[in-house]
Amino acid sequence: MASTSVEPASAGNGGSAPAVTPDQIMQLGLGFWGSKTLLSAIELGVFSTLASGPASEEDLRKRLDLHERSCCDFLDALVALGMLDRRPDGYRNTPAADLFLDRAKPSYVGGILEMANARLYGFWGSLTEALRTGELQNEAKGGGEDLFEVLYEEPERLRGFLAAMTGISTGAAIAIAHNFPWDRYQTFCDVGTAQGAVPVQVALQHPQLTGIGFDLPQVGPIFEDYVASFGLRDRVRFAGGDFFADPLPATDVIVMGHILHDWGMEDKLKLLRSAHRALPDGGALIVYEAIIDDERRQNAFGLLMSLNMLIETREGFDYTGADCRGWMADIGFRESYVEPLVGPDSMVVAIK
Ligand SMILES: C[S@@+](CC[C@H](N)C(=O)[O-])C[C@H]1O[C@@H](n2cnc3c(N)ncnc32)[C@H](O)[C@@H]1O
């Protein structure tokens, strides 16, 4: 059988150039094996079960109701993938899995992964169709509703989606609370706030601020429960409304996280204009998400997020910092800058 490792043509100059191998291609192409193994482990509650202490394969098999055929392979695969550890007393969570994947801990980030498992994993199976047709591939496929109308029809799906947003946004929310000069301002509004990850993290770190979470009215009770769990009800309140039909609350700072990428160009501009109208002179708009690098070469997560918007929305797309700054300048913001937050996320800050 032919070797799968091929020397590049230039390697005849002493053999110091690395071999070209298909490893990266194979890892990427079969990456869904590892991804789905982790998503199923979260669905089955592997990490929440092991949070109470180590357990043997037999014990876990019974507690998680797994078939004996593959239980050992499943658990050992999670060891090899770095999500579990195995010692003589049994399987245990790695420190990161224990902190972030035990549902009972406030640091749980699995909401977004639960949604990936329950919804996106299947919908991404139709990516080729989406690329050919430009049509979304989720629950709204073939209908006239938008993502949020469909998601919010079922209370469980609504709750799951909002918790997923907290999972994906808490790291960025903490960074925004740290990196932005909040001491210059008194009031803020997080537009499309979901559960309220940003208002909570900002209010926790800046006692002088009062904040509003603005979102569709159905979101109110879930936002209020989340804010109350941090003891912040006196400084953070909910305002229900439709950001395309209603004016935004007038505050010193307006935040939009993972909002602009849900919509097409016209709607993006409407939202930016609406924020501009609501801000006083000197007020600030913070737009954050997986902002794509200006060369569109580095931020793979941001580019894949844009494909996720193809799957999930009718017209949405992600964009570069330069794109966003250009729109902000056209609308009348007098200055703007891009600042990295955590991982693939950055914020674009504009001053009116
Ligand atoms: C992708 S989520 C982003 C949530 C949050 N900002 C974050 O980054 O985690 C979009 C949010 O916009 C809200 N939303 C969608 N359409 C809206 C509308 N017409 N008016 C107000 N909020 C809306 C949704 O309910 C949802 O909470």
Side-chain angles (χ1 to χ4, degrees):
M1 187 179 154
S3 166
T4 54
S5 178
V6 184
E7 293 294 321
S10 63
N13 60 5
S16 59
V20 174
T21 76
D23 283 0
Q24 194 191 357
I25 294 170
M26 287 305 161
Q27 278 190 26
L28 189 55
L30 299 177
F32 68 94
W33 289 4
S35 167
K36 187 65 179 89
T37 300
L38 174 61
L39 298 181
S40 287
I42 293 166
E43 179 182 0
L44 290 162
V46 170
F47 307 105
S48 303
T49 303
L50 285 174
S52 56
S56 68
E57 189 248 342
E58 193 186 349
D59 183 15
L60 276 174
R61 178 156 41 90
K62 289 188 182 134
R63 283 158 76 188
L64 300 173
D65 192 23
L66 298 177
H67 194 279
E68 62 186 21
R69 177 173 173 198
S70 322
C71 182
C72 187
D73 289 345
F74 174 54
L75 296 171
D76 287 343
L78 288 166
V79 172
L81 290 167
M83 295 291 111
L84 291 181
D85 189 10
R86 190 187 63 223
R87 296 190 198 171
D89 60 350
Y91 294 92
R92 62 180 67 212
N93 288 334
T94 58
D98 203 59
L99 184 61
F100 296 117
L101 295 177
D102 169 15
R103 283 193 194 112
K105 293 196 175 73
S107 47
Y108 181 64
V109 297
I112 183 68
L113 301 177
E114 287 179 40
M115 185 176 86
N117 191 44
R119 300 183 58 252
L120 302 180
Y121 187 80
F123 298 143
W124 269 74
S126 306
L127 177 63
T128 309
E129 182 180 340
L131 290 168
R132 285 239 161 82
T133 63
E135 299 290 336
L136 56 69
Q137 300 296 321
N138 63 10
E139 297 90 342
K141 186 174 180 176
E145 296 166 296
D146 79 21
L147 168 67
F148 299 103
E149 282 166 325
V150 176
L151 276 179
Y152 294 2
E153 272 163 10
E154 283 180 24
E156 262 320 291
R157 219 155 48 191
L158 166 64
R159 196 166 276 280
F161 179 79
L162 298 179
M165 289 302 104
T166 301
I168 205 166
S169 295
T170 296
I174 292 169
I176 289 169
H178 267 108
N179 299 5
F180 182 75
W182 290 103
D183 53 341
R184 299 180 196 161
Y185 304 97
Q186 296 295 319
T187 58
F188 70 96
C189 175
D190 183 33
V191 173
T193 191
Q195 242 181 342
V198 162
V200 161
Q201 294 304 329
V202 170
L204 282 174
Q205 288 192 40
H206 302 280
Q208 93 281 8
L209 288 170
T210 54
I212 297 171
F214 180 94
D215 209 303
L216 295 166
Q218 304 93 298
V219 173
I222 297 162
F223 174 94
E224 276 157 6
D225 281 355
Y226 185 71
V227 168
S229 74
F230 290 87
L232 290 168
R233 281 173 70 170
D234 54 334
R235 285 194 294 124
V236 177
R237 72 174 175 86
F238 184 76
D242 174 348
F243 51 43
F244 289 120
D246 302 314
L248 299 178
T251 50
D252 301 338
V253 180
I254 289 181
V255 184
M256 289 184 183
H258 304 107
I259 302 299
L260 294 186
H261 77 161
D262 289 336
W263 307 99
M265 198 60 244
E266 280 312 304
D267 287 336
K268 279 177 167 62
L269 293 177
K270 264 188 217 164
L271 289 165
L272 290 173
R273 279 193 206 102
S274 190
H276 189 264
R277 267 195 299 276
L279 288 167
D281 286 343
L285 170 64
I286 304 173
V287 166
Y288 81 91
E289 44 197 320
I291 304 287
I292 299 170
D293 56 294
D294 290 348
E295 295 291 319
R296 294 175 58 84
R297 286 178 190 282
Q298 304 286 330
N299 192 349
F301 185 89
L303 290 159
L304 294 173
M305 179 62 95
S306 202
L307 293 183
N308 194 50
M309 291 303 106
L310 167 67
I311 298 284
E312 287 273 61
T313 69
R314 296 207 182 281
E315 298 185 348
F317 62 91
D318 287 73
Y319 49 87
T320 66
D323 293 334
C324 189
R325 294 185 64 203
W327 306 329
M328 288 162 156
D330 288 347
I331 278 164
F333 286 96
R334 62 183 163 84
E335 53 186 271
S336 65
Y337 61 90
V338 180
E339 186 168 325
L341 294 168
V342 284
D345 288 339
S346 299
M347 62 179 171
V348 187
V349 177
I351 308 294
K352 180 170 170 181

